[in-house]
Amino acid sequence: MLFHTWTFLAFILVVVLAHRLLPWRAGLWFLLVASYFFYGCSTWYYIFLLFFCSLSTYLAALLLARSGGAPWRRLWLLVGIAAPLAVLAVFKYTHFALSQVDNLFGLSLVPLLDQQGLMFLLPVGISFYTFQAVAYVVDVYRGDLAPVRHFPTYALYISFFPQLVAGPIERGGNVLPQLARKHVPDADETMQAIYLFLRGLVKKMVFADRLGVLVDQAYKLPAAGQDGAVWWLATLCFSFQIYLDFSAYTDMARGCGSLIGIRLSENFAYPYLAPNPREFWRRWHISLSSWLRDYLYIPLGGNRHGKARHYLNILAVMLIAGLWHGAAWHFVAWGLFMGLLIVAYDMLRTARGVPKDRPLAASPLLAALGVGLTFACVTLGWVFFRADSVAHGWQIWGRMLAAPEGWGQLLQGHYRYFLLICALLYLTHWLGARPWRKAWLRPKAAWAKALSFGLRWGVMALLLIFGALERTTQFIYFEF
């Protein structure tokens, strides 16, 4: 069930109405059933996977907390981590792993798997809810979180429908206390939630899907047959498409959560204004990057064992981040490229003797240059993310980095239209991060409040009416 459909609109209206009418204990059960219904609308029998991940990690955390000795605690920690990750490995990586075995040894295991009907359909959202369940068990083991005794509460935390399919990957410390009591949003909170949802709808239907038209057309073409300027434009459009598509889902998820009195985490913080690759990953998909830091990078040793180990840890984490996004080598190549960018930046910062908490460039001009260079490098990295294979990505890179030809055609026809969209989107991205933005959006004077309200809602309504594409697609991160 997609957020940008009439079916979901009817669904969320029923859920909000039931939340406001029912007492919290009954309302919690209703939200749990509604969340499982929402998930079952994609492939109904995968609700059993969701239930298994919830039950196994719930029991592991309880047993872990009740175990006195360290060996038993470590055992239940291992069980709590292994159960959801095993589900993830089987359903997401079996086909990929067997295909690599086939390539190495020629055993033809993949055709055998397909003939037996065991070609697994990837469950929607499995990468997100398994990571959320793992984080809960680890937090209980570390003593950062008390285990939940009431199973329906924990099951709702794992399956809460607004963020179930594509995040944010919520921590128990944020959501579980909110599930302990009922909160009915007031009029102002309700309007803000609706505005957040509609803002995501505009991002998705007006901009992301429109950019996707050019991206899909370009990436279906042979790489060698297109000029480098066309590939730059297509990849630039994809940079904004994936950001708008994913942040649109986050906005809509947060809006839905707020309508039910649950505040979900921010997942983006103007990532394309990051002055360096390290800062980009602090702003992009924040719930995943912070998860990788807290549950993978730091346990591996972080930066505590010398520079060589530090860089190996970064590369290992980014390789896993690439593989998390998809069971294919081009995702691994994308993760490796992003890891190399972070390592290269850290080496430059170390060579210049600049502390981690200080910017590499002091002057505004050099800082702006850093933002532009980071955005260009990230855009180059998106090539491997969007390409069909590593070879396809290399071919596109070859055209993009070759001697410039045909740049003038970008200022003609429909290319000019998409280039203008990208320029306006980046300007909007920059303006949104300015300090005076909040003062403009939330003025104090009554007439200014009315003007701001009318402009925001009026522009949004006009964009949806005249700008939304009839042909819309599912969210990109549903594939991961």
Side-chain angles (χ1 to χ4, degrees):
M1 191 187 305
L2 299 176
F3 283 169
H4 49 299
T5 60
W6 292 108
T7 305
F8 180 79
L9 180 60
F11 171 79
I12 191 64
L13 287 175
V14 171
V15 170
V16 171
L17 183 62
H19 167 259
R20 302 208 173 200
L21 294 178
L22 295 172
W24 183 232
R25 185 63 68 177
L28 188 144
W29 275 99
F30 180 85
L31 285 177
L32 178 60
V33 172
S35 295
Y36 271 77
F37 172 80
F38 173 85
Y39 191 67
C41 285
S42 58
T43 307
W44 68 268
Y45 47 84
Y46 280 153
I47 63 175
F48 296 108
L49 289 180
L50 179 61
F51 180 78
F52 170 76
C53 285
S54 301
L55 183 62
S56 60
T57 50
Y58 165 78
L59 293 174
L62 279 181
L63 292 168
L64 187 158
R66 293 176 180 176
S67 300
W72 283 104
R73 285 174 51 81
R74 285 194 292 268
L75 172 64
W76 293 120
L77 171 67
L78 180 61
V79 170
I81 293 175
L85 291 186
V87 171
L88 179 64
V90 168
F91 283 86
K92 189 168 184 175
Y93 300 107
T94 296
H95 199 271
F96 174 69
L98 291 181
S99 66
Q100 304 313 305
V101 173
D102 283 359
N103 292 336
L104 287 173
F105 304 106
L107 298 179
S108 300
L109 295 176
V110 172
L112 178 63
L113 192 73
D114 295 342
Q115 290 170 10
Q116 301 301 319
L118 296 176
M119 174 58 183
F120 299 116
L121 177 67
L122 181 66
V124 175
I126 190 170
S127 298
F128 290 88
Y129 68 73
T130 52
F131 269 31
Q132 188 162 306
V134 168
Y136 167 77
V137 176
V138 174
D139 284 346
V140 172
Y141 176 79
R142 291 174 175 174
D144 298 332
L145 199 64
V148 179
R149 307 289 177 183
H150 188 240
F151 177 68
T153 300
Y154 176 72
L156 179 58
Y157 158 65
I158 296 296
S159 64
F160 188 48
F161 72 89
Q163 48 85 216
L164 171 62
V165 175
I169 304 171
E170 287 291 349
R171 306 290 180 90
N174 177 41
V175 174
L176 287 172
Q178 298 184 69
L179 297 180
R181 58 189 180 279
K182 180 177 181 177
H183 172 66
V184 178
D186 58 25
D188 184 60
E189 289 174 322
T190 300
M191 291 303 294
Q192 289 296 325
I194 295 172
Y195 176 80
L196 195 58
F197 183 88
L198 292 178
R199 186 178 76 178
L201 198 63
V202 169
K203 284 182 179 181
K204 171 63 178 171
M205 298 186 68
V206 178
F207 296 109
D209 286 343
R210 192 172 295 276
L211 291 169
V213 172
L214 176 66
V215 174
D216 291 344
Q217 290 176 353
Y219 273 83
K220 289 178 182 177
L221 298 173
Q226 303 300 312
D227 187 74
V230 175
W231 285 119
W232 272 107
L233 177 61
T235 308
L236 182 66
C237 286
F238 181 68
S239 291
F240 286 103
Q241 181 198 3
I242 192 170
Y243 167 68
L244 291 166
D245 192 277
F246 196 12
S247 65
Y249 182 92
T250 301
D251 286 348
M252 297 168 85
R254 293 179 63 232
C256 290
S258 295
L259 285 173
I260 310 169
I262 307 296
R263 301 185 68 86
L264 301 175
S265 304
E266 290 271 9
N267 217 13
F268 295 91
Y270 303 101
Y272 289 152
L273 297 179
N276 57 70
R278 183 168 168 263
E279 183 65 20
F280 171 81
W281 274 100
R282 288 183 174 179
R283 300 176 177 217
W284 175 273
H285 200 173
I286 298 170
S287 62
L288 174 64
S289 57
S290 62
W291 192 100
L292 293 170
R293 178 197 64 207
D294 295 342
Y295 302 106
L296 193 57
Y297 172 71
I298 292 176
L300 284 174
N303 60 357
R304 301 189 299 273
H305 303 290
K307 282 295 181 183
R309 175 73 176 275
H310 176 209
Y311 295 150
L312 284 175
N313 289 339
I314 291 174
L315 293 176
V317 168
M318 294 310 300
L319 282 171
I320 292 172
L323 198 57
W324 178 88
H325 281 84
W329 286 114
H330 62 95
F331 288 114
V332 176
W334 169 76
L336 178 61
F337 176 75
M338 296 303 297
L340 290 172
L341 285 182
I342 297 172
V343 169
Y345 167 74
D346 193 82
M347 292 175 70
L348 179 61
R349 181 189 58 77
T350 302
R352 294 192 59 187
V354 178
K356 286 191 296 184
D357 57 343
R358 293 182 59 187
L360 187 62
S363 69
L365 181 61
L366 289 177
L369 181 63
V371 171
L373 185 60
T374 300
F375 178 65
C377 290
V378 169
T379 299
L380 275 173
W382 287 129
V383 168
F384 285 98
F385 194 98
R386 182 59 180 79
D388 297 329
S389 64
V390 175
H392 188 210
W394 277 117
Q395 291 171 356
I396 295 173
W397 260 25
R399 300 300 298 167
M400 293 174 72
L401 301 176
E405 300 173 3
W407 288 88
Q409 66 177 307
L410 294 182
L411 302 178
Q412 303 172 7
H414 69 285
Y415 289 146
R416 175 176 54 191
Y417 168 76
F418 282 102
L419 195 61
L420 178 62
I421 287 181
C422 289
L424 291 175
L425 287 172
Y426 198 88
L427 177 62
T428 305
H429 190 69
W430 180 80
L431 290 173
R434 298 305 92 193
W436 40 261
R437 169 178 170 269
K438 289 185 179 180
W440 183 81
L441 290 177
R442 296 183 180 180
K444 295 182 179 179
W447 67 269
K449 285 183 179 180
L451 179 61
S452 174
F453 181 88
L455 284 174
R456 292 166 67 192
W457 289 82
V459 168
M460 190 173 296
L462 289 174
L463 284 171
L464 282 173
I465 293 171
F466 297 108
L469 287 181
E470 293 182 5
R471 182 194 68 85
T472 187
T473 59
Q474 73 172 18
F475 291 93
I476 293 175
Y477 265 70
F478 277 25
E479 302 174 11
F480 311 133

